[in-house]
Amino acid sequence: MTRTTLTALLLGTSILGTASMAFAQDKTITIESWRNDDLPIWNEKLIPAFEKAHPGIKVVFAPSAPTEYNAALNAKLDAGSAGDLITCRPFDASLELFSKGHLASLNDLAGMENFSDVAKSAWQTDDGSTTFCVPMASVIHGFIYNKDAFDQLGIAAPATEAEFFAALDKIKADGTFIPMAMGTKDLWEAATMGYQNIGPNYWKGEEGRLALIKGDQKLTDPAWVEPYATLAKWKDYLGDGFEAQSYPDSQNLFTLGRAAIYPAGSWEISGFNTQAQFKMGAFPPPVKAAGDTCYISDHTDIAIGLNAKSPNADAAKTFLTWVASPEFATIYANALPGFFSLSSTPVAMEDPLAQEFVSWREKCKPTIRSTYQILSRGTPNLENETWVESANVINGTDTPQVAAEKLQKGLDSWYKPAK
């Protein structure tokens, strides 16, 4: 070997070595998500905070349209072109991804100790032995109201159902405002902001939800029928033409100041803050009688997992450990008021409406939506059927008892509880 050849080889090795070191130090990881509305928050707050603390790892947030996310993600995963990190929906959709080998186990990830078993439950195997996504946030159900309207009419935030309907009657009699902004056209509103909002006070949150899964309770039991009876009474307060009113219509009626109360999920806070020109308040689902234990749907909503075939797994795990940290929880919860941290470390909320929602954790028992875990895996899908029947009850086309019987019959057709 000549000296020239040796020099060339050594130079080549040096260049390759330098390039290899640069590659090792400068990884780019990509996040798949359905939350396209959050792009500015990721690009302006979350990613800069991470990259500042972790030089050499670049992060790209690459969301899809919410309605297209599941199909687009599955296609990418099957083709091997999905990003390194996968934003996880709660329960069955993500469990299916794990079962297919698309999501890696995160049992040994540093930072997972920052979450309770309840916080992790939406992204675990049924037996709880494996967790495959880092919990990011939950959303809380309740009611947002127009404080100016309440002050004008001399109404206080109701705590009991009697006070709630008395307030609605007073608003209706005055005629200035539609008492409550909710439509039944899109179906899911009636279930998510209606039945799943007030229902936990009847079926006692986790007690009833787990009993339903075990087969110890049925949807035809009083605890599951009674909230439909209450929901049926909403019809008189939703304004003319509510049957043809879409979800965006409901949002607009409230933010334009035409409706006094909005049955809500806390995810509305950011949008309402920018659109409403009046003061807002919030109250939890009213209890049946003063002194009753209150329950809230504090629904595990969003998490993030590792693509099992990520070529940048080490860098992605570094990012996931940061997502599990109190620093991420504080930035995320305050950048997106209404999406509440699931970390065991309390997060101080800067937004007063968000603080009102999260304060209910101190006085009410939390649960999640009754249809999300296990009970919507078959056909008919209990979640989707609950949308239909909740709308039917409010519209008056089904009685509460008939709605409950239809739902239980559908569930019985495929679900056999393991005793």
Side-chain angles (χ1 to χ4, degrees), residues 166-183:
L168 290 170
D169 284 333
K170 191 168 186 177
I171 298 164
K172 185 177 181 179
D174 173 77
T176 305
F177 305 93
I178 297 167
M180 196 153 54
M182 195 184 82

Side-chain angles (χ1 to χ4, degrees), residues 369-407:
R369 295 174 201 156
S370 63
T371 53
Y372 264 60
Q373 187 178 32
I374 299 174
L375 299 180
S376 291
R377 292 178 184 172
T379 303
N381 179 292
L382 182 60
E383 166 71 359
N384 293 343
E385 293 300 296
T386 301
W387 295 2
V388 173
E389 290 309 320
S390 297
N392 286 348
V393 166
I394 295 172
N395 291 342
T397 56
D398 272 341
T399 66
Q401 190 63 44
V402 166
E405 288 169 359
K406 285 183 179 179
L407 293 174

Side-chain angles (χ1 to χ4, degrees), residues 141-163:
H141 290 281
F143 296 81
I144 298 175
Y145 66 95
N146 182 328
K147 268 189 175 180
D148 293 347
F150 271 44
D151 289 346
Q152 181 180 322
L153 298 175
I155 300 171
T160 65
E161 285 189 0
E163 293 170 353

